[in-house]
Amino acid sequence: MITNSKIRMGVYALAVAFFGGAMLAGCNEVVAPKDAKSQDRKIEVEYERGPHKGRMLRVGDLAVEITIFEEGVEPEFHVYPYWQNKPLDPTEVKLQVTLRRLGPRVDTFSFEADGEFLRGKGVVKEPHSFEVTVAAEGRSVSNSWTYESYEGRTTIAQAAADANGIQVEKVGPARIDRVVDLAGRIELQSQGRAEIRAWYSGRVIELTKTIGQTVQKGEVLARIEASDTLRTYQITAPISGMIVERNVNVGDVATQAIYVINDPDSLQATFFASPRDLEALRVGQPVEIRGLGEQKTTGKIKLIMPRADPSNQATIVYAEFQNANRSWLAGMAVEGQVTVTSDNVPLAVRTQALQPFRDFRVVYARVGETYEVRMLKLGRQTAEWSEVLGGIDPGETYVSKNAFLIRADIEKSGAAHDH
């Protein structure tokens, strides 16, 4: 006797309609449309469980109990056969299980007897979300069953996804930069500051500049009458820049610095590196310099001091940069990001796309209007990119922005990990 039975079951099959007309409130809350009836969205579809807590599939005398075994091994099928409700010798049964996953992938498993059960040949890879077809033959009886077992899956109308800023892109290669973050401040370079003093003791006869005025190298700044010879001499600017201090007036005896000149173009970023960070730093490495607001520029490490501060073991690192528009000022607090290595990797996803799911870090793949988890094995990570070592295929479309909205809808749907 040949019997065919088609069973449509699963914890998710009745819960996918939520987003068909749903709207997302704010930036982190998923709500049902206004005309939706109040209901618990975690819909449990019960099915018969066997002695091993698996899914029982029955037609006539021949039945099988489907389980996925995960204790101490990678997930694998363990299937227990029965005849007239009693255990059947697995050697008397031929079995095949086909998993149709979201997208084009289909996994087919053959089985071999192992004690009291049939063991599937191969790993049941995550996510355990698929349409299952089971074909069993035993004692001249052939049965087949089909059921749905979904987890981490939801359906969202394209219009709703677009309206709420859900963006996607394809998994592919990326450049992974390893960076070192530093804190510091903007300082004048040593050649960017000059104190203007009298060459010989004497009285100030003339001053040509005041605070805030710019000067050019070689420009006359003062005339001094020497006390011993009463001869008058002039003092010129040794550098170009701006007068930031004027400490004497005409008629004073010049015993201190007459002027102080700062060159606003001769600035440098001074950073403080810990011993751990210092190991990766080299002269010539690029540095992104950021102010406390939106201000930023690029520079290069020009000097790493050959000594550490005994009190905190920090080493001073100097970076040079251009201050053409004079937007940077000495004394400003800054942060630096030094790119110490740069590698091209064949597969990466946006770090902001990563979400927690059970004990995994996941992204959400999209096929049509359906979204489903992809459990990832990750390598190197930066704030922008995360290297993928496994769990998603090249070219697969995934949610790169606002993925937390997908997670929220899946968590509300109660699409559980259940076999």
Side-chain angles (χ1 to χ4, degrees), residues 33-52:
K34 293 182 179 179
D35 58 352
K37 295 181 179 179
S38 176
Q39 59 179 335
D40 182 358
R41 297 187 67 250
K42 186 173 182 179
I43 302 174
E44 298 289 350
V45 178
E46 291 298 330
Y47 52 82
E48 181 187 357
R49 292 184 180 272
H52 304 91

Side-chain angles (χ1 to χ4, degrees), residues 202-218:
R203 185 167 60 91
V204 178
I205 301 300
E206 181 183 10
L207 297 172
T208 64
K209 297 293 181 180
T210 189
I211 292 177
Q213 290 184 313
T214 59
V215 299
Q216 298 298 317
K217 182 178 179 179

Side-chain angles (χ1 to χ4, degrees), residues 19-24 154-168 366-371 397 399 406:
F19 245 108
M23 297 297 292
L24 305 182
T154 189
T155 299
I156 301 175
Q158 187 62 51
D162 292 342
N164 291 280
I166 295 172
Q167 298 180 12
V168 298
R366 188 189 75 179
V367 177
E369 294 185 341
T370 301
Y371 300 79
T397 299
V399 178
I406 310 298

Side-chain angles (χ1 to χ4, degrees), residues 270-348:
T270 302
F271 296 109
F272 306 94
S274 68
R276 182 180 61 184
D277 293 335
L278 190 63
E279 296 177 356
L281 300 180
R282 301 290 184 273
V283 172
Q285 287 172 331
V287 186
E288 182 179 79
I289 302 168
R290 302 187 298 269
L292 298 182
E294 298 297 323
Q295 192 175 9
K296 65 181 179 180
T297 188
T298 56
K300 288 185 177 181
I301 294 178
K302 72 169 185 177
L303 176 64
I304 300 175
M305 293 297 288
R307 62 178 182 273
D309 188 325
S311 64
N312 58 20
Q313 295 300 296
T315 298
I316 294 177
V317 177
Y318 294 109
E320 59 184 359
F321 66 97
Q322 297 296 318
N323 190 31
N325 59 3
R326 298 189 174 180
S327 59
W328 299 92
L329 304 176
M332 293 177 66
V334 291
E335 296 177 337
Q337 191 174 79
V338 184
T339 301
V340 296
T341 60
S342 183
D343 298 307
N344 292 319
V345 299
L347 214 59

Side-chain angles (χ1 to χ4, degrees), residues 105-125:
R105 180 175 166 183
V106 177
D107 298 335
T108 300
F109 295 83
S110 59
F111 289 77
E112 61 184 4
D114 187 345
E116 63 177 342
F117 61 87
L118 291 154
R119 182 193 302 274
K121 296 179 180 181
V123 175
V124 185
K125 294 184 178 180

